[in-house]
Amino acid sequence: MKEKNKSKGKKGITLVSLVITIIVILILAGIAINLAMDEEGLIGKAEEAVESWNRAVGEESNAIKNIFMIANEIEGGGTGGEAEVEEANPPKLGEGMIPVYYENGWKKTDSSNKDKNWYEYDTQNKKWANAVTVKEAKREEYKAAGTGSSILEEDIIGMYVWIPRYAYKITKGYHPEEEASLPIEGEIEIQFLYGVEDKYKGGEAIRSNQTNGEEYVVHPAFTGEAENGGRKEITGFWVGKFEASSNTTTEENPNLGVKYGRTNNETDEITIRPNVTSWRAITVQQIYEACKRMTAEGNIHGLRGIEAHMMKNSEWGAIAYLTQSDYGNKQTNADANSGVWANPYHEGDIVENENATYKHNLYYTTMTGMVGSSRDEAISGASKAIGNIDKSNPDTISITYQNYAEDGSESGSPYTRTYYRYQTEEGQRGSSTGNIYGIYDLSGGAWEHMASYLTNGTTSYVEYFRNLEPGEKQEYAGTGEENNETDRKANYQANSNKYGDAIWETSRNDAGAAWNLSWNSDYANFPYLGDPFFLRGGAFYSEVSAGTFAFAYSSGSESSDRGFHPVLGV
């Protein structure tokens, strides 16, 4: 009996091997043709050809990995033996993107990931793939550099993290009833999918909004379901590693205080860097247009063959769910240090003004990639920094504050807070993985504007977004007009069919107008027609209510405490 099974297995392997061989030959032939047909020729464009070859070889290697995964499913042999491969979809790089790993600084790596230097999506290493873009003046140098070469942080202008296609099911905390105790603890199980298929090791996911059953459901952010925030069937997407910043923000021109981290919302270019002032006070329309400039002709990143867009609730949800799974920085009620730590950094830029709240103007200067001394630490918006702020320490920044009461008088005694930079052991607690390979500023920092809104919203920005292509936006139902509990709860209930966006599934049934009814006691404030756009994540002052499951509302206009994370699509 054993011999019969062994013989049958050999026949199956031979057939699959033949298919694999043919596909590999076609891939190699396509690479050769593309190089030969380069419009400026092989000789005149030697360096570009080498880069194209290296990128294509990496994609070929990753494609073969996916073929082996599917082949093993056909054979029923799992991913053991000679076909041990990554189960998560390999990242797709656009031209201008450099794969990197961290070892006392960022270093260039091989996109084939043969030594697993680049990524390892498992429950132990939690090493999500990272890539960078660099300044034009250094681009050719880094292009030609070998594996293991250092890429200086001062030369990096964009940092990105890959979110691979997956299916999920919620095994604890799915849309609890009103009597559920707080904080609500949620658990999510993940299965990475093959290519743009719905198959995973050992099964096939379904398309449904019933995500608390026995079946795994394909997350809609990776699909063509525009009504649920999809664009097309994709293998994954890239997201900015930090909140966006402006290319005009430099050491000499930090864009502090009333500059809100930018010079001109209409012309500044997006960068994604740590330890800089985040770009705030920008409208949703300006965010959308700034994201599009990231990949426009002649962009500062040298990006080609990839598109950029404003994040939607579906993509935020895909990040939040992967973060809350065993593959990420999962938060539990039992461990006060677990989960994504908030970014509470605030430079205390306030100026006396008798006509303003607290008798001061609040200018909120945030900084990307920072964390405090505890998960839910926060700073009052009416906190003024005393004395100069020393930023010379490569690991920490300490600021002494004085709080103010609403009548403008000093409140309490001065106090000092210490903040940790993203690469430190403490700073990595603010990452979606709990290590340096994750996404930062998902909790605290600035609220994140989304390209998601109530279709019937009454602000001028809604009309602009209505005219966009379906995959560029995400629309929600609701007719509640006023900023009151009744209307916001009604709008929340009108969207019970939505899934994957970390809203209905991950908040209590009486949510919609509360500060603590989402998982982990995060905000649960749903938009109304006057403030129809979604905000996510919370701000530096949000305390326990900040987090990956927080949602709130905005008119879409600019505000000093609101920023964004851009997305790159493949």
Side-chain angles (χ1 to χ4, degrees), residues 379-440:
I379 288 289
S380 167
S383 300
K384 185 173 184 177
I386 301 174
N388 294 326
I389 301 173
D390 183 4
K391 301 180 183 179
S392 61
N393 189 312
D395 295 331
T396 62
I397 298 175
S398 293
I399 303 177
T400 300
Y401 299 95
Q402 174 64 60
N403 282 355
Y404 286 82
E406 289 192 15
D407 65 1
S409 63
E410 292 184 358
S411 175
S413 302
Y415 60 98
T416 301
R417 292 284 177 86
T418 297
Y419 305 99
Y420 300 89
R421 298 184 190 270
Y422 85 104
Q423 81 282 0
T424 64
E425 182 179 352
E426 296 87 352
Q428 292 177 40
R429 292 179 181 272
S431 153
S432 62
T433 54
N435 59 43
I436 204 162
Y437 290 101
I439 304 160
Y440 290 75

Side-chain angles (χ1 to χ4, degrees), residues 268-441:
D268 286 8
E269 301 287 346
I270 292 173
T271 61
I272 305 164
R273 298 173 285 157
N275 307 317
V276 295
T277 310
S278 58
W279 186 349
R280 292 154 293 116
I282 177 172
T283 71
V284 288
Q285 180 177 336
Q286 290 168 335
I287 293 172
Y288 176 85
E289 292 169 353
C291 289
K292 288 303 177 184
R293 291 198 295 274
M294 281 190 76
T295 51
E297 187 68 27
N299 67 81
I300 64 171
H301 297 273
L303 287 169
R304 289 197 296 178
I306 198 165
E307 61 83 31
H309 61 268
M310 184 178 176
M311 187 183 289
K312 303 184 295 294
N313 273 340
S314 58
E315 290 150 337
W316 180 275
I319 296 164
Y321 289 1
L322 189 57
T323 300
Q324 185 63 16
S325 77
D326 288 339
Y327 295 96
N329 192 3
K330 180 179 179 179
Q331 182 169 329
T332 65
N333 288 347
D335 185 356
N337 290 323
S338 65
V340 177
W341 283 30
N343 180 346
Y345 186 93
H346 168 46
E347 293 195 6
D349 297 305
I350 64 176
V351 177
E352 291 185 14
N353 179 354
E354 284 297 317
N355 297 317
T357 304
Y358 299 100
K359 307 299 182 182
H360 289 81
N361 287 331
L362 312 179
Y363 291 124
Y364 304 153
T365 293
T366 55
M367 181 178 286
T368 58
M370 305 297 287
V371 302
S373 299
S374 63
R375 184 181 64 203
D376 300 319
E377 183 175 320
I379 288 289
S380 167
S383 300
K384 185 173 184 177
I386 301 174
N388 294 326
I389 301 173
D390 183 4
K391 301 180 183 179
S392 61
N393 189 312
D395 295 331
T396 62
I397 298 175
S398 293
I399 303 177
T400 300
Y401 299 95
Q402 174 64 60
N403 282 355
Y404 286 82
E406 289 192 15
D407 65 1
S409 63
E410 292 184 358
S411 175
S413 302
Y415 60 98
T416 301
R417 292 284 177 86
T418 297
Y419 305 99
Y420 300 89
R421 298 184 190 270
Y422 85 104
Q423 81 282 0
T424 64
E425 182 179 352
E426 296 87 352
Q428 292 177 40
R429 292 179 181 272
S431 153
S432 62
T433 54
N435 59 43
I436 204 162
Y437 290 101
I439 304 160
Y440 290 75
D441 305 326

Side-chain angles (χ1 to χ4, degrees), residues 509-562:
N509 191 53
D510 54 338
W515 60 271
N516 64 344
L517 295 185
S518 288
W519 284 7
N520 305 329
S521 289
D522 291 353
Y523 279 107
N525 284 309
F526 209 82
Y528 60 100
L529 298 193
D531 279 338
F533 282 87
F534 283 87
L535 296 171
R536 307 307 299 262
F540 65 87
Y541 51 73
S542 297
E543 299 180 325
V544 68
S545 298
T548 54
F549 296 99
F551 60 91
Y553 50 84
S554 164
S555 66
S557 60
E558 64 178 54
S559 177
S560 57
D561 61 349
R562 295 169 193 172

Side-chain angles (χ1 to χ4, degrees), residues 466-528:
R466 282 198 197 114
N467 292 323
L468 299 178
E469 293 296 318
E472 298 282 294
K473 60 192 178 183
Q474 186 173 7
E475 297 182 321
Y476 286 74
T479 57
E481 297 180 317
E482 302 297 329
N483 182 13
N484 58 47
E485 183 174 346
T486 299
D487 281 7
R488 286 195 275 127
K489 279 188 173 183
N491 291 341
Y492 169 79
Q493 292 290 334
N495 290 278
S496 61
N497 62 323
K498 296 288 188 184
Y499 69 105
D501 56 1
I503 296 179
W504 177 266
E505 297 163 304
T506 57
S507 55
R508 215 167 70 173
N509 191 53
D510 54 338
W515 60 271
N516 64 344
L517 295 185
S518 288
W519 284 7
N520 305 329
S521 289
D522 291 353
Y523 279 107
N525 284 309
F526 209 82
Y528 60 100

Side-chain angles (χ1 to χ4, degrees), residues 37-354:
M37 294 298 288
D38 184 90
E39 63 183 5
E40 296 187 39
L42 284 171
I43 296 174
K45 299 288 289 178
E47 291 184 355
E48 286 79 358
V50 169
E51 183 195 15
S52 296
W53 174 268
N54 288 336
R55 189 167 60 250
V57 167
E59 290 179 358
E60 170 202 338
S61 174
N62 291 330
I64 291 171
K65 287 180 180 180
N66 275 329
I67 293 167
F68 270 114
M69 281 191 276
I70 295 171
N72 275 307
E73 286 302 312
I74 295 171
E75 288 300 305
T79 55
E82 296 179 358
E84 289 187 6
V85 293
E86 296 288 341
E87 293 181 16
N89 274 335
K92 289 188 175 182
L93 292 167
E95 185 174 336
M97 299 178 75
I98 303 171
V100 294
Y101 67 98
Y102 193 87
E103 187 177 271
N104 297 318
W106 292 103
K107 296 184 178 180
K108 186 176 180 179
T109 191
D110 181 0
S111 62
S112 69
N113 199 42
K114 60 184 177 182
D115 297 322
K116 295 189 176 180
N117 266 346
W118 191 14
Y119 61 89
E120 202 164 3
Y121 288 85
D122 60 21
T123 57
Q124 291 183 325
N125 296 292
K126 303 180 182 182
K127 190 176 184 178
W128 298 6
N130 279 240
V132 301
T133 51
V134 297
K135 296 175 180 177
E136 183 178 10
K138 306 290 287 187
R139 199 166 294 146
E140 294 303 317
E141 176 184 333
Y142 287 125
K143 242 201 271 188
T147 298
S149 299
S150 292
I151 298 180
L152 300 181
E153 200 167 279
E154 65 197 50
D155 294 331
I156 294 173
I157 57 174
M159 304 182 76
Y160 317 90
V161 179
W162 176 253
I163 307 298
R165 181 185 181 98
Y166 68 79
Y168 72 100
K169 62 180 177 181
I170 297 175
T171 56
K172 182 180 180 180
Y174 177 88
H175 191 67
E177 293 302 319
E178 295 180 15
E179 62 270 16
S181 60
L182 301 175
I184 302 165
E185 183 175 79
E187 293 186 0
I188 296 176
E189 292 184 7
I190 297 290
Q191 290 285 355
F192 293 113
L193 303 176
Y194 302 157
V196 293
E197 307 260 343
D198 295 350
K199 295 180 180 179
Y200 58 88
K201 180 184 176 182
E204 184 167 357
I206 63 172
R207 305 286 181 105
S208 170
N209 64 0
Q210 299 302 308
T211 56
N212 62 332
E214 295 299 317
E215 301 288 339
Y216 286 94
V217 175
V218 180
H219 194 285
F222 306 104
T223 73
E225 299 173 7
E227 67 276 13
N228 291 309
R231 300 182 72 252
K232 61 180 180 179
E233 301 295 328
I234 55 175
T235 61
F237 61 86
W238 295 98
V239 62
K241 189 174 181 70
F242 304 97
E243 284 179 348
S245 51
S246 165
N247 67 313
T248 66
T249 299
T250 63
E251 187 174 347
E252 297 74 27
N253 177 40
N255 280 329
L256 304 178
V258 72
K259 290 187 175 181
Y260 304 122
R262 86 293 198 249
T263 300
N264 188 317
N265 284 336
E266 302 292 341
T267 58
D268 286 8
E269 301 287 346
I270 292 173
T271 61
I272 305 164
R273 298 173 285 157
N275 307 317
V276 295
T277 310
S278 58
W279 186 349
R280 292 154 293 116
I282 177 172
T283 71
V284 288
Q285 180 177 336
Q286 290 168 335
I287 293 172
Y288 176 85
E289 292 169 353
C291 289
K292 288 303 177 184
R293 291 198 295 274
M294 281 190 76
T295 51
E297 187 68 27
N299 67 81
I300 64 171
H301 297 273
L303 287 169
R304 289 197 296 178
I306 198 165
E307 61 83 31
H309 61 268
M310 184 178 176
M311 187 183 289
K312 303 184 295 294
N313 273 340
S314 58
E315 290 150 337
W316 180 275
I319 296 164
Y321 289 1
L322 189 57
T323 300
Q324 185 63 16
S325 77
D326 288 339
Y327 295 96
N329 192 3
K330 180 179 179 179
Q331 182 169 329
T332 65
N333 288 347
D335 185 356
N337 290 323
S338 65
V340 177
W341 283 30
N343 180 346
Y345 186 93
H346 168 46
E347 293 195 6
D349 297 305
I350 64 176
V351 177
E352 291 185 14
N353 179 354
E354 284 297 317

